Amino acid sequence: MIQTYINPPRKDWSEIVRRPQFDNEGLFGTAGIILQDVLNRGDKAVREYAEKFDNVQLSELLVSEDEKAESAKFVSKELKMAIYTAKANIEKFHAAQKHNIQKIKTADGVVCWQKQVAIEKVGLYVPAGTAPLFSTVLMLALPAKIAGCREVILCSPAGKDGKIHPAVIFAATVAGVDKIFKTGGAQAIGAMAYGTESIPKVYKIFGPGNQYVTAAKQIVSMKDVAIDMPAGPSEVEVIADETAIPAFVAADLLSQAEHGADSQAILVATSLPIADAVKKEIEIQLSVLPRKEIASKALLNSRIIVLPSSDIVDFTNLYAPEHLIIETQNYNETAEKIINAGSIFLGNFTPESAGDYASGTNHTLPTNGHARAYSGVNLDSFMKKITFQEISKRGISQLGQTICVMAANENLTAHENAVKLRMKNR
Amino acid sequence: MIQTYINPPRKDWSEIVRRPQFDNEGLFGTAGIILQDVLNRGDKAVREYAEKFDNVQLSELLVSEDEKAESAKFVSKELKMAIYTAKANIEKFHAAQKHNIQKIKTADGVVCWQKQVAIEKVGLYVPAGTAPLFSTVLMLALPAKIAGCREVILCSPAGKDGKIHPAVIFAATVAGVDKIFKTGGAQAIGAMAYGTESIPKVYKIFGPGNQYVTAAKQIVSMKDVAIDMPAGPSEVEVIADETAIPAFVAADLLSQAEHGADSQAILVATSLPIADAVKKEIEIQLSVLPRKEIASKALLNSRIIVLPSSDIVDFTNLYAPEHLIIETQNYNETAEKIINAGSIFLGNFTPESAGDYASGTNHTLPTNGHARAYSGVNLDSFMKKITFQEISKRGISQLGQTICVMAANENLTAHENAVKLRMKNR
């Protein structure tokens, strides 16, 4: 089942942290053709692909107010309450990420500042599939609304019944999404990137999806719109020492493994007995799991590594996990030294599930080692920063000489002129 | 020369704000071959391309300490002083962009926070060409060092004499760049994305370049490394009313035009007499400009638009200029309403040249309308945010129900288990 490495030498680490290969280059051709078709034929192309890929004939792409009201009836009171609680926590955490404008006097008469401004139009993609991802709706739509995006649209494929899952529609409505469209796959990405008769063009596209969606997002990000981040299969690393509770650790690894056959779960244990205890718990818990087939496949990509405590930080920073759960006595000390990770869960009572759903942090996180350079989705993802500067007559007369010397040395005479004319005029 | 539009109707605006087309898709093939070759053959490939494209045989790619010391001798005292002044201002502005950690109690027993962490390894690309871009060195290297990046490397092509311009080496040394390599073009991007014997692999690549460099950055950003932003020709919009000084406005437009034949300068004037006065000044100033040939070509892509004040904000937000200079009486009022721009310069005494070199703001900004979704380079560009959460026994027992309901509704039983086991254990 899951492979175990005991004190592997450093030279082997890069092999151990290798992700299951995920090559979507072959799909670029197909995704590109679909995108071009949506660009050329708009709604007509979108509808045809829905018929072809999803076996559904759609008259209207836009979800109507009636459909929204109807959906709410099919969501249990219990789930509604849970969605409201999660919403409150996610809002509290993301609202705290706003920054005030701070004007900086960089030199005499020279004042500079940054202003955060919401991206005007954003598009959210929420896949269908084995489960209705209403949690992803909350994770994307709530920060967009807090940022102040003026137009927040959502695309999600309709089932054969011509409907989007009611929990997805309910979550989108509660989160304040402006328009919901029944559109999935690469054609949804094309519609949001270029605009169609029904679906407005946006400036940034967010959300997970299958390999065609991922390929389409990469293609449109080359020149048309921004995207949240490169996508890949989900992954977790758990660090456990003798204070960890093996049943918890096993449950955390399995909750990653059940996501998909291409998921990866890594256990870093400080001793072999801990590793063995967790392994035993995995077997027990796996046997009764409804998604055990998926989870078993994911465990084939997974690893248990026994390492001395002194090596764990370096190993983890090399792996750069999307999720990192630290179930050790000195978890704060270890966490302080982690520089590459998407989201970190501290101590025995902080499961990844909490962050996946309801603690308030975002669950859209960098996979596949991208945590080395990317942040997870956060309020900033829905905003950009504009810089401002205001210089007085006195300011330009003092700073002018510096600018002129630099411009002259870069052979840019007009740049110099723009300053010299103003210096004369003081 | 420069085309003038008087009160064009809104339906024509999207045509007026069109950028000169800049299609590098044809170069993807060539750039891809060079990248693959660098991936396979490392330094050997890098050296061969230097010989082929730059006519230079290089024994060492790394700039030695001796070369650095030598370079400093060839930089005038005046330029050194200017570089030090610009450095101080850029550092002051970017250092103020650090945020403190703020722990948020999102629910009882649930504490979440964000931590900014520097990207460990970054690579800066600085093109050669008609001018030594030491200003770009400062704009990229100083924020990288303030962010705390552990390894900051810089690649720039060597001239036929086998040397990088001394001012570039001097600025890099002053800014604290760790290693400087004589490598240019797509091969430099490949070297930084994959690593070679001499050049270390980095996690994010920054900086401008020709169309091959741009294509190479786009290719490697698909799965290997992050990049700063999509690149395109530089552009400025100036808004002028009757309080603007035509000579200043003309100088600002020309300082954009002299950048390159593909640059674009847009004047939005509140009346025809203002537009005419600026036009006259452009002719006068252009005639004596050393780079007048380049600037004249750029003016062919440029526009003068006369618009009523009430339309100017909408027009500007549609254009989404990289640089916006507002030379009007109520510049603050207009600036407040701008949502799409890279950097904004306020009032008659704030030329773009100031931000290009020395006021403290960054000059690496989103072009080609990308200001709709992208920020310019800033301290955040060199950092990512890791989220943390710590939940107490009491916290999970209270939030647990919400998580379990959501997980069950997404058919993720192992996610539910990870919480239930902990709730039992309280």
Side-chain angles (χ1 to χ4, degrees), chain A residues 243-315:
Chain A
T243 66
I245 294 155
F248 294 4
V249 175
D252 292 338
L253 295 168
L254 285 171
S255 61
Q256 191 58 55
E258 76 172 345
H259 265 299
D262 53 3
S263 289
Q264 189 173 54
I266 299 274
L267 168 64
V268 177
T270 55
S271 79
L272 189 57
I274 299 162
D276 286 339
V278 172
K279 223 171 180 171
K280 214 167 287 170
E281 273 291 338
I282 290 178
E283 279 164 37
I284 297 169
Q285 296 182 23
L286 178 65
S287 64
V288 295
L289 218 54
R291 292 166 72 101
K292 81 178 148 195
E293 209 171 317
I294 291 172
S296 301
K297 279 188 194 150
L299 290 178
L300 296 175
N301 311 320
S302 298
R303 274 104 204 247
I304 295 176
I305 302 114
V306 177
L307 276 181
S309 301
S310 56
D311 273 351
I312 287 176
V313 166
D314 284 353
F315 179 87

Side-chain angles (χ1 to χ4, degrees), chain A residues 297-349:
Chain A
K297 279 188 194 150
L299 290 178
L300 296 175
N301 311 320
S302 298
R303 274 104 204 247
I304 295 176
I305 302 114
V306 177
L307 276 181
S309 301
S310 56
D311 273 351
I312 287 176
V313 166
D314 284 353
F315 179 87
T316 305
N317 283 329
L318 184 71
Y319 182 52
E322 180 192 11
H323 305 97
L324 174 64
I325 314 178
I326 314 182
E327 304 183 47
T328 64
Q329 184 154 30
N330 303 317
Y331 55 80
N332 279 319
E333 206 179 296
T334 303
E336 270 297 312
K337 297 175 198 150
I338 300 300
I339 57 172
N340 295 328
S343 194
I344 302 182
F345 300 77
L346 298 168
N348 288 336
F349 289 87

Side-chain angles (χ1 to χ4, degrees), chain A residues 106 135 218 222 252 255 258 331 339-340 343-344 348 359 375 380 384-385 387 389-390 410 415 422, chain B residues 106 135 218 222 252 255 258 331 339 343-344 348 353 359 380 384-385 387 389-390 410 415 422:
Chain A
T106 54
S135 62
Q218 288 187 306
M222 303 273 262
D252 292 338
S255 61
E258 76 172 345
Y331 55 80
I339 57 172
N340 295 328
S343 194
I344 302 182
N348 288 336
S359 63
S375 311
D380 279 355
K384 60 255 164 85
K385 296 189 187 82
T387 50
Q389 59 203 284
E390 184 168 6
E410 288 192 357
H415 282 66
R422 285 164 165 104
Chain B
T106 54
S135 62
Q218 288 187 306
M222 303 272 262
D252 292 337
S255 61
E258 76 172 345
Y331 54 80
I339 57 172
S343 195
I344 302 181
N348 288 335
S353 306
S359 63
D380 278 355
K384 62 255 162 85
K385 295 189 189 83
T387 50
Q389 59 202 285
E390 184 169 6
E410 288 193 357
H415 282 67
R422 284 164 165 105

Side-chain angles (χ1 to χ4, degrees), chain B residues 371-386:
Chain B
R372 294 182 197 108
Y374 287 88
S375 312
V377 164
N378 63 88
L379 193 67
D380 278 355
S381 314
F382 297 91
M383 308 186 90
K384 62 255 162 85
K385 295 189 189 83
I386 302 177

Side-chain angles (χ1 to χ4, degrees), chain A residues 68 76 123 149 215 241 247 303 311 345 356 360:
Chain A
K68 286 186 195 173
S76 71
C149 300
D241 69 5
R303 274 104 204 247
D311 273 351
F345 300 77
D356 285 344

Side-chain angles (χ1 to χ4, degrees), chain A residues 39-57:
Chain A
L39 177 61
N40 294 340
R41 298 196 301 130
D43 281 351
K44 207 159 178 312
V46 169
R47 279 206 190 83
E48 283 175 18
Y49 287 115
E51 200 169 340
K52 186 171 170 188
F53 298 134
D54 305 330
N55 279 310
V56 57
Q57 289 202 338

